[in-house]
Amino acid sequence: MGNASATILSWITAEVDQALTQVRTHIAKFSADPEDPAKLRPCLEHLHQVSGALRMVGLSGATRFSEAIEGGFAGLRGARPSSQVIAVIDRAVLALKDFVDGLERGQANVPLRLFPVYQELSALHGGQGGSEKDLFFPDLTLHAPAHADAKTLRPEEVSPYLQAQRARFQRGLLAALRNQSGGRGEMRQALDALHRIAAQLPEPRALWWAAIGLVEGLAEPADAQWLARCKTLCNRIDFQIRDLAAGKPAVSEALTREVLYAVAKSKPGTPRVREIKQLYLLDSLFAEPQAAGVMEFDMDWLQPALSDVRSRLEALKSMWLQYVSGEPKSAARFRELVGSFRGKAGELGNPHLVRLLDVIALVATRLPDPYPVQGQLLVIEMASAFLLAESVIENFIDPAADLEHQIGIMGGWLLDAANGKSGGELPAGLRSDLSERIGAMRLRAQVAREIVANLQHVEQVLDGYARDPGKRETLLGLAPYLRQIHGALDVLGFVRAAQILPVCEQLIAACGQPEHDAAAPDMDWIAEGLSSLGFFLDPCLSGREPAEPAVELFFRRYEKAHAPAEERGFDSTVVLPPAAHRPATPDAPMAREAPGVDAAQVAASPTPAPAPQARPEVNEELLEIYLEEAGEVLAGIDAALPLSRAQPLDRDALITIRRGFHTLKGSGRMVGLMDLAEVAWEIEQVLNKWLEQLHPATPALLDLIESASGSFAGWVAQLRAGNLQGEIAGEAIVDRARRLTAEEPAAAPEPQEVEIGGVRLARSFFDIYLKEAKQHVATLETQCAGWRKVLGTEAPHEFVRAAHTLASSSRTAGYEQVAVLAEALEQWMPQARQTGAA
């Protein structure tokens, strides 16, 4: 048929889309678990439904293509298909979906657009790759011109008439095959005679009119292959005349299509040939074929479309960062964004991007919510998938030849990681350029984690010195940590960032001298330098590039502050308010600034309003990064609060909250939001005291944290709205924080007994058991991680001993389920070695 009407197509498009989507869903499930071919079983039923719908509205070419996909599945006979086979079928399903959607949008019905994938389908099970004729479907409902001298025969005259014309046609064909003159003329006369009585012959009657054009084309064959095909066709025409003369009115639609195909491929050397091509629009049925699933793009349209796709990818990456930071409900939002992105990629007709997003979508359905605390789940693997997605977008029009294979490898690695099967190594087969970039990203993440751990230790020592200058000797022990940080930055090639370390070392050395002036801003600059490094490295932890503006901002501020006065002038980004007129800085508490005044009295008194001063300039380069990070951090704090309320002794929850305010302090300073940084520092000091002195989380502490988090959320919203000069009313929070810092928290009444799961233990015995159990679990995790790198060896002795001891102590304490699990681990190890499971 010709172009199907939009009304007819609307009847089936939704049905076809839904069925083909189901097929691709089952393919994705199989790709995630290729050992189970049963996951593909429903595909045939869905495809059969598609073929029926297409046949119903007369889309013969699309029907033939759908049947070829069915044949691809049927040819498997229940066996497990290779990744190459399933990739071909997946591309074909996507191509068919795009073709039908295009018809509904008004595109011409040209099934030969599907021919490249049809060839692949045909070759799957040993075929020859198919023929263009299989997808050549001109509109046979069009009426051929009636003969100028048409006649009607009596019924008894038809058969002898046909026999006579067959004899003439055979004589002409034989002469033509022998290259004798007059052969094509006789064939033409016989066909013209049949055209005269076409009204008395079965449909399609255009066969005889079009066959004349075929014979005329023999005078100047297009090529040897075309000539050979035409000779075969002439034999089939002869058989058709024979059957009609014998009273077998066989439907000859397929023969008519083949004749028109031959005419379409012939040279337009005669009026009849040109007339046939014009009536059936044969040339338009051979529009330039295109790769599977890839549409013809108007470049004026493509550029903004690709811009939209890039923005969708950035939004997806941003939501992933929110998820790994522990923001509640972010997993569901991530799944929604993947689905929306995948739909847009489908509209663009890019099967590679769609397939990659299909895998990401499948992984998204398995994400734990919230993200595991202290986890590194999928960090590098997902960042690598985003990296490949960027490559697909940048090479949208001209994809790499091995892109399909690379996406298969990446998808398998991602799914393995989601299922806990990733061994930590890069998958084999990745292109060298991808491997190098991913390897560098993994190295950055690993080294950055080590640097951040060292930075946290250094900052804790500095905070301790800031609270008690008498601990000056502790500063001497920081040199090895600073050297390690410097060396690690050099390994990563972060030369500019490493230059911060000598500055900090020099300032720390100065602070370590007995004659050092406590009122000097050295500690401020040390804290800002180290916070700059943390801010610089933070993106590396999640597989991103470092935040270089953080380092440059520090040097601009530091160099400006230490320049000669005549060069410096007035610069609000470096002028610090006098110590006597500003709230306590992160490394110079108020109590230290006012010697001789009781700390409790200072904390209990209202905070004096700071003297009017120029507000530090906000660095807009980093503000957007700060706002994004602040949202993630606050979400993490809010997620940890309920845990801390439920388990006041849970140090992990308080550590998470402390880390959040530490980040808000450092990043606030980098951006120039000094007032926000001061508030965050005050909260951090309270939490430092609670954690160091092992106090349980009291309601007063948790209420302060909740209030501070809410205030920060309001301030961040104010900044997002563009109000950079708004007041930050943090005095009340600072007062409460100082009061808690100065006071000794009332001892929380602890129950003398602890009851968990029906087991009641004395508090002292429970504390001993819990401490030891945590140590044993930590040993199991560490030993298992090392053992997985050398699979096939004997189980580590430390692992077996930790499992044995944990089982014994748990049984003694009465926690039978823990004991059974630990005992099973202990007993499984030797068996795993013997059976090869290890």
Side-chain angles (χ1 to χ4, degrees):
M1 64 176 290
N3 291 348
S5 71
T7 302
I8 294 177
L9 282 170
S10 66
W11 296 345
I12 65 150
T13 301
E15 178 185 356
V16 169
D17 271 356
Q18 184 178 8
L20 293 178
T21 299
Q22 287 293 324
V23 173
R24 302 203 73 223
T25 299
H26 290 296
I27 289 175
K29 290 179 178 178
F30 168 76
S31 298
D33 184 13
E35 299 301 322
D36 184 10
K39 288 184 169 63
L40 297 174
R41 196 171 297 143
C43 293
L44 272 175
E45 180 180 348
H46 291 303
L47 285 168
H48 191 66
Q49 176 185 358
V50 170
S51 298
L54 296 173
R55 187 180 298 109
M56 181 178 67
V57 296
L59 292 173
S60 303
T63 303
R64 180 67 189 90
F65 187 81
S66 179
E67 291 170 345
I69 303 176
E70 289 186 64
F73 278 108
L76 299 174
R77 296 183 176 87
R80 181 169 67 89
S82 66
S83 58
Q84 291 82 4
V85 168
I86 207 65
V88 169
I89 293 176
D90 191 37
R91 283 199 298 274
V93 174
L94 178 61
L96 179 59
K97 181 180 182 301
D98 290 342
F99 180 80
V100 176
D101 290 344
L103 293 180
E104 189 182 28
R105 294 194 300 267
Q107 288 186 353
N109 179 18
V110 184
L112 278 170
R113 292 179 182 274
L114 299 167
F115 184 63
V117 183
Y118 181 78
Q119 284 184 299
E120 294 184 80
L121 282 172
S122 301
L124 281 183
H125 307 294
Q128 298 301 312
S131 168
E132 279 189 329
K133 291 186 299 182
D134 298 344
L135 298 180
F136 180 79
F137 286 90
D139 186 2
L140 299 185
T141 63
L142 298 172
H143 295 291
H147 196 282
D149 188 22
K151 69 175 183 178
T152 302
L153 300 175
R154 293 193 303 270
E156 65 273 14
E157 295 177 332
V158 173
S159 179
Y161 184 87
L162 291 173
Q163 290 174 355
Q165 302 312 320
R166 183 192 179 201
R168 176 186 289 183
F169 185 81
Q170 288 178 328
R171 288 194 304 271
L173 178 57
L174 182 60
L177 293 175
R178 294 174 176 174
N179 293 321
Q180 296 174 350
S181 61
R184 290 191 304 275
E186 279 209 273
M187 293 171 67
R188 192 186 189 289
Q189 291 173 13
L191 294 172
D192 184 73
L194 293 173
H195 183 208
R196 289 183 67 190
I197 66 164
Q200 294 180 264
L201 300 179
E203 292 284 1
R205 297 163 186 162
L207 170 62
W208 315 110
W209 175 74
I212 294 173
L214 170 69
V215 172
E216 290 179 351
L218 292 172
E220 192 178 356
D223 52 49
Q225 185 179 9
W226 182 88
L227 180 60
R229 184 165 55 241
C230 286
K231 290 177 179 178
T232 302
L233 265 179
C234 288
N235 284 326
R236 292 187 57 190
I237 292 173
D238 174 46
F239 295 153
Q240 181 70 20
I241 302 172
R242 178 199 63 189
D243 291 342
L244 291 175
K248 300 176 182 176
V251 176
S252 56
E253 182 175 305
L255 178 58
T256 305
R257 284 198 300 110
E258 288 201 47
V259 168
L260 289 175
Y261 179 80
V263 173
K265 291 291 187 178
S266 69
K267 297 180 179 179
T270 70
R272 174 61 61 91
V273 171
R274 291 193 291 271
E275 191 177 357
I276 296 170
K277 288 189 174 188
Q278 183 177 1
L279 174 64
Y280 290 102
L281 302 175
L282 297 183
D283 289 339
S284 69
L285 301 183
F286 290 90
E288 184 67 25
Q290 49 200 342
V294 180
M295 300 164 61
E296 293 178 348
F297 294 116
D298 175 354
M299 295 306 296
D300 291 336
W301 168 85
L302 180 59
Q303 293 305 323
L306 288 181
S307 177
D308 175 65
V309 167
R310 292 188 187 97
S311 67
R312 288 173 183 270
L313 179 58
E314 290 305 313
L316 191 64
K317 290 161 65 176
S318 177
M319 185 53 64
W320 174 255
L321 291 176
Q322 292 183 38
Y323 169 65
V324 298
S325 70
E327 182 173 335
K329 299 182 180 179
S330 53
R333 292 197 293 273
F334 180 75
R335 284 191 287 269
E336 291 174 3
L337 283 180
V338 175
S340 174
F341 191 3
R342 187 240 175 264
K344 188 65 177 180
E347 291 177 14
L348 291 179
N350 190 298
H352 306 298
L353 187 56
V354 168
R355 187 182 179 202
L356 180 57
L357 290 172
D358 278 343
V359 178
I360 295 176
L362 186 60
V363 168
T365 64
R366 305 180 181 183
L367 294 176
D369 194 5
Y371 187 76
V373 178
Q374 310 291 345
Q376 286 294 310
L377 174 69
L378 288 168
V379 167
I380 296 301
E381 293 85 356
M382 189 63 76
S384 301
F386 292 150
L387 190 66
L388 183 56
E390 289 175 356
S391 176
V392 174
I393 294 170
E394 294 309 313
N395 299 280
F396 196 87
I397 298 176
D398 186 23
D402 66 341
L403 181 56
E404 189 72 27
H405 182 58
Q406 295 298 311
I407 289 176
I409 294 173
M410 184 66 70
W413 188 37
L414 199 60
L415 289 166
D416 281 346
N419 293 328
K421 298 178 182 178
S422 177
E425 300 299 323
L426 292 183
L430 277 181
R431 283 202 313 262
S432 59
D433 60 324
L434 274 176
S435 296
E436 289 174 5
R437 295 180 68 183
I438 296 172
M441 184 167 58
R442 292 176 70 232
L443 177 64
R444 281 202 309 266
Q446 179 181 350
V447 177
R449 283 195 294 272
E450 297 172 1
I451 294 175
V452 168
N454 282 336
L455 282 173
Q456 289 173 349
H457 173 77
V458 172
E459 290 178 340
Q460 287 173 7
V461 172
L462 291 171
D463 282 346
Y465 165 72
R467 290 193 302 274
D468 182 5
K471 295 181 178 180
R472 181 173 285 108
E473 72 282 354
T474 60
L475 300 181
L476 301 177
L478 296 180
Y481 291 93
L482 295 173
R483 284 195 297 270
Q484 289 179 15
I485 295 172
H486 193 287
L489 291 170
D490 280 342
V491 167
L492 295 177
F494 297 152
V495 177
R496 183 64 167 163
Q499 292 172 353
I500 292 179
L501 271 301
V503 174
C504 292
E505 287 184 80
Q506 182 180 5
L507 294 173
I508 290 173
C511 292
Q513 300 301 316
E515 65 275 12
H516 180 259
D517 182 6
D522 293 348
M523 289 296 289
D524 290 334
W525 286 112
I526 295 169
E528 184 164 337
L530 298 179
S531 294
S532 298
L533 288 178
F535 196 34
F536 170 81
L537 291 169
D538 186 67
C540 298
L541 300 175
S542 55
R544 295 175 292 160
E545 294 295 321
E548 295 186 8
V551 171
E552 295 306 323
L553 177 61
F554 169 76
F555 280 116
R556 283 204 304 272
R557 290 164 60 87
Y558 184 79
E559 291 166 1
K560 187 77 172 179
H562 292 79
E566 62 273 11
E567 296 179 15
R568 185 165 65 242
F570 177 77
D571 186 336
S572 62
T573 65
V574 296
V575 174
L576 301 176
H581 295 137
R582 60 188 168 101
T585 63
D587 301 290
M590 181 72 76
R592 181 164 60 85
E593 293 176 358
V597 179
D598 182 70
Q601 292 178 346
V602 173
S605 62
T607 304
Q613 54 180 290
R615 182 169 183 171
E617 177 185 334
V618 174
N619 183 277
E620 297 189 7
E621 297 176 35
L622 294 177
L623 179 59
E624 184 177 349
I625 300 175
Y626 171 83
L627 294 176
E628 178 182 339
E629 183 181 59
E632 299 170 5
V633 169
L634 292 173
I637 292 172
D638 292 343
L641 261 175
L643 300 177
S644 195
R645 288 192 189 278
Q647 299 288 338
L649 294 173
D650 185 351
R651 287 174 54 81
D652 289 341
L654 279 186
I655 289 173
T656 298
I657 295 171
R658 191 266 305 272
R659 185 185 303 114
F661 282 103
H662 175 80
T663 301
L664 291 172
K665 174 193 75 175
S667 57
R669 297 179 118 197
M670 291 306 93
V671 179
L673 299 170
M674 304 305 294
D675 36 12
L676 270 70
E678 305 297 339
V679 176
W681 181 82
E682 296 284 359
I683 305 299
E684 183 185 8
Q685 299 316 299
V686 179
L687 290 165
N688 282 338
K689 177 177 180 179
W690 247 251
L691 289 166
E692 289 172 6
Q693 299 183 13
L694 303 179
H695 295 311
T698 62
L701 174 69
L702 298 177
D703 288 346
L704 169 66
I705 293 169
E706 184 173 12
S707 177
S709 178
S711 296
F712 264 93
W715 296 330
V716 169
Q718 180 177 306
L719 291 169
R720 280 203 179 99
N723 185 2
L724 304 183
Q725 301 300 324
E727 292 297 323
I728 301 299
E731 293 83 359
I733 294 175
V734 170
D735 282 345
R736 291 170 63 184
R738 291 178 181 171
R739 199 171 289 116
L740 281 175
T741 302
E743 296 174 357
E744 283 296 326
E750 294 184 352
Q752 297 301 309
E753 293 184 333
V754 176
E755 182 174 356
I756 298 177
V759 177
R760 187 185 299 270
L761 294 176
R763 162 64 64 178
S764 57
F765 181 74
F766 173 79
D767 289 343
I768 295 172
Y769 164 77
L770 185 61
K771 181 179 179 180
E772 292 182 353
K774 287 184 175 180
Q775 292 174 347
H776 296 321
V777 170
T779 299
L780 291 172
E781 291 177 341
T782 302
Q783 294 298 322
C784 184
W787 185 40
R788 290 181 66 179
K789 297 179 181 178
V790 285
L791 294 179
T793 61
E794 293 292 343
H797 175 68
E798 292 81 1
F799 186 99
V800 177
R801 183 175 60 187
H804 176 81
T805 308
L806 180 60
S808 176
S809 61
S810 298
R811 186 163 281 113
T812 301
Y815 297 119
E816 187 63 24
Q817 291 178 324
V818 178
V820 169
L821 180 58
E823 195 170 64
L825 278 175
E826 177 191 4
Q827 296 174 355
W828 176 74
M829 288 303 162
Q831 297 176 8
R833 182 71 181 90
Q834 294 171 7
T835 61

